[in-house]
Amino acid sequence: MQYDVILIGSGFGSLTAAALLAQRGLKVAVLEQAKYPGGCASSYKRKGYWFETGATTLVGLDEHMPLRYLLDVTGIELPLLKLDIPMQVHLPDGQLLTRYAELDDWIKEAERVFGPKGQRAFWERCFQISQKVWRTSLEQKSFPFSSVKDLWQALGNVRPHQLSLLPGAFRTMEDLLARYGLLDNKLFKDFVNEQLLITAQNHLGEVNELFGATALCYTLFDNYYVKGGMIGLARALERYLHSKGSAILYRRNVHTITSLPNGYVVNCLAGSYQSRFVISGIPLNDTYQLFQNDQVRQKLQPHLLPSAKLNGAFTMALVLRQAPAIPVLHHQVHVPGGLPLIGSSSFFVSYSHPADSERAMQGERVVAISTHVPDPAALRIQDKRQLEESIIKRMEGLGLLKRADILHLDSATPGAWIFWTQRAYGMVGGYPQYRDIKPWQMKDARLDHKGAYTCGDSVYPGQGIVGVCLSGIIAANKLILDHF
């Protein structure tokens, strides 16, 4: 069947690009290997409950942010509940830290826990950077540059506040802590490192100031819960695609993409599809395997990362009866001495909203737990029970659950992530930020300068739903810029 654009994978980057291109009148098909849309920002049903596949938090609807742009352009509405308090952090010394949504409230809390030295100046600087970064990201939709058209478009959109960001690309978060005298504050350093790990996939010595400050401030923007689970996000975009005569086609496991003189053939086990344009929304390591074009593979080669530079995940899915009255849905829990087998220093916990009857019965709570597994290809977790027990014991000690209330428990290693998502090494969270890879050195949206593009969490700008949303905006923008 002939389409204008075929997109590989239904992650949120792909869905964003698909919606924007369909809004422009193009006939779009999204090929998804699973039976649910959303990729690593979705949900799955088991034993009557809806569990989150990966991502559990949602930001990006404030002014000058990518998700707000997508919704404004398309008119899509989402089933959202706004969170009053985005997160709490259980620190290794036993203190409970509340990440308030208002900047002044958060600074007072940070000063209470970490001491007053440098906190106000540090957080005001980070918040200022994050506001400029998001504003600039939508003003410069042709970044990173890979054509003359990109440069011309960028020059026409240059604003003074954009230029002030440039030095931050050459400084790390470690430099920023040093500037405010915070490097000798071990408790604060541990906090920052674990917060960066869940937002930028790396630690303060590697993450540059622009991405790091923005990542640390995501709780200072409006945070939302998606009613019914994260799949509600993908379903809303799927309905929009159907309204525009486009579709998501499930159980389409793509194995090769072949170039034609004026288009592409996308080959699946279920058949072949032809289109004028193609967008890969899967990681670069997997995109590399699909394309039969040597030119595309050569251009991708320098951007591929080995397992040793990536993260996998160990995840747990719980159902609790008579769940404790925990008003804050998201918790980062530090683990003194680290978790057994994998050494992770923290894990992330997300509860279903008590008002959400679509995911669990009244009085029950669905809980998603995740932690990083470094170099997933090199680590084989033989006995998951050790990890499960360590996490449950830590949560029970903090009053986050009672063991007797566990109705259901599943856990999964990076091997399960390979099976579920087909992502190389079972990678989660996208490519980590590294100090030797500047923003303009990250892979841009073009694959061959003919009609092939890419988006997702392994290209600019990187991690998180709001990041992959921006990557989809950029891919759609460059396709339109190049050909219409």
Side-chain angles (χ1 to χ4, degrees), residues 199-334:
T199 50
Q201 300 296 309
N202 218 328
H203 293 124
L204 56 86
E206 292 288 350
V207 181
N208 74 53
E209 182 182 283
L210 300 183
F211 287 156
T214 304
L216 287 181
C217 287
Y218 88 88
T219 54
L220 298 174
F221 294 88
D222 289 343
N223 279 239
Y224 295 89
Y225 174 89
V226 183
K227 193 173 182 180
M230 278 294 182
I231 196 169
L233 191 63
R235 291 295 192 201
L237 271 71
E238 181 178 35
R239 289 191 293 271
Y240 180 80
L241 290 176
H242 285 164
S243 75
K244 295 296 183 180
S246 296
I248 303 177
L249 306 178
Y250 297 102
R251 300 298 192 187
R252 302 305 201 275
N253 197 329
V254 177
H255 56 82
T256 56
I257 299 173
T258 305
S259 300
L260 297 175
N262 193 34
Y264 302 86
V265 175
V266 180
N267 300 300
C268 306
L269 297 177
S272 297
Y273 300 85
Q274 189 171 333
S275 64
R276 172 66 186 89
F277 308 105
V278 65
I279 300 176
S280 174
I282 61 178
L284 294 180
N285 292 56
D286 302 284
T287 299
Y288 178 86
Q289 299 299 327
L290 294 185
F291 274 86
Q292 304 303 293
N293 185 304
D294 289 338
Q295 182 185 16
V296 172
R297 292 166 70 92
Q298 288 171 5
K299 288 184 177 180
L300 283 177
Q301 184 68 52
H303 296 281
L304 305 182
L305 292 183
S307 172
K309 301 191 77 171
L310 301 173
N311 294 303
F314 176 79
T315 60
M316 293 173 60
L318 303 180
V319 179
L320 302 179
R321 64 184 166 199
Q322 300 176 353
I326 299 173
V328 178
L329 301 188
H330 304 298
H331 297 255
Q332 187 179 42
V333 179
H334 287 238

Side-chain angles (χ1 to χ4, degrees), residues 23-164:
Q23 191 271 336
R24 290 290 299 255
L26 299 175
K27 187 175 182 181
V28 172
V30 181
L31 305 183
E32 169 55 50
Q33 59 91 20
K35 62 180 180 180
Y36 298 126
C40 291
S42 187
S43 314
Y44 64 95
K45 193 173 186 180
R46 183 170 293 172
K47 297 186 181 296
Y49 301 98
W50 282 97
F51 299 100
E52 302 294 34
T53 303
T56 57
T57 60
L58 182 67
V59 297
L61 279 87
D62 298 75
E63 187 180 10
H64 304 306
M65 294 186 78
L67 191 53
R68 175 79 276 143
Y69 172 88
L70 172 65
L71 300 187
D72 287 346
V73 169
T74 61
I76 293 171
E77 296 184 356
L78 301 175
L80 302 178
L81 298 171
K82 187 176 178 181
L83 302 181
D84 293 328
I85 297 177
M87 184 199 307
Q88 288 184 317
V89 181
H90 303 259
L91 294 167
D93 67 351
Q95 293 190 79
L96 178 62
L97 176 72
T98 300
R99 294 225 57 182
Y100 292 106
E102 295 297 326
L103 179 61
D104 278 343
D105 293 339
W106 162 239
I107 291 174
K108 290 175 185 176
E109 176 73 346
E111 289 178 334
R112 178 187 71 82
V113 173
F114 301 116
K117 179 182 176 182
Q119 291 293 325
R120 177 164 294 276
F122 175 83
W123 289 106
E124 287 179 343
R125 173 63 176 163
C126 285
F127 190 55
Q128 180 187 55
I129 291 171
S130 65
Q131 290 178 306
K132 288 182 179 180
V133 164
W134 287 125
R135 185 175 178 182
T136 298
S137 70
L138 289 177
E139 292 170 338
Q140 293 291 352
K141 294 192 289 291
S142 62
F143 186 86
F145 312 134
S146 61
S147 77
V148 174
K149 287 183 179 180
D150 284 347
L151 291 171
W152 278 115
Q153 188 179 69
L155 288 171
N157 293 316
V158 169
R159 303 291 183 272
H161 64 265
Q162 299 170 8
L163 301 177
S164 68

Side-chain angles (χ1 to χ4, degrees), residues 33 148 183 191 212 214 276 382 387 409 432 434 437 443-444 467:
Q33 59 91 20
V148 174
L183 275 183
F191 163 75
T214 304
R276 172 66 186 89
Q382 302 295 340
L387 276 168
L409 186 156
Y434 283 101
I437 301 175
K443 184 68 188 84
D444 88 303

Side-chain angles (χ1 to χ4, degrees), residues 7 13 16-22 24 26 69 141 279 445 453-455 469-482 484:
L7 296 99
T16 296
L20 293 173
L21 294 171
R24 290 290 299 255
L26 299 175
Y69 172 88
K141 294 192 289 291
I279 300 176
Y453 300 82
T454 185
C455 61
C469 179
L470 178 58
S471 77
I473 292 170
I474 291 171
N477 178 73
K478 292 197 175 188
L479 191 156
I480 296 299
L481 181 70
D482 292 343
F484 295 94

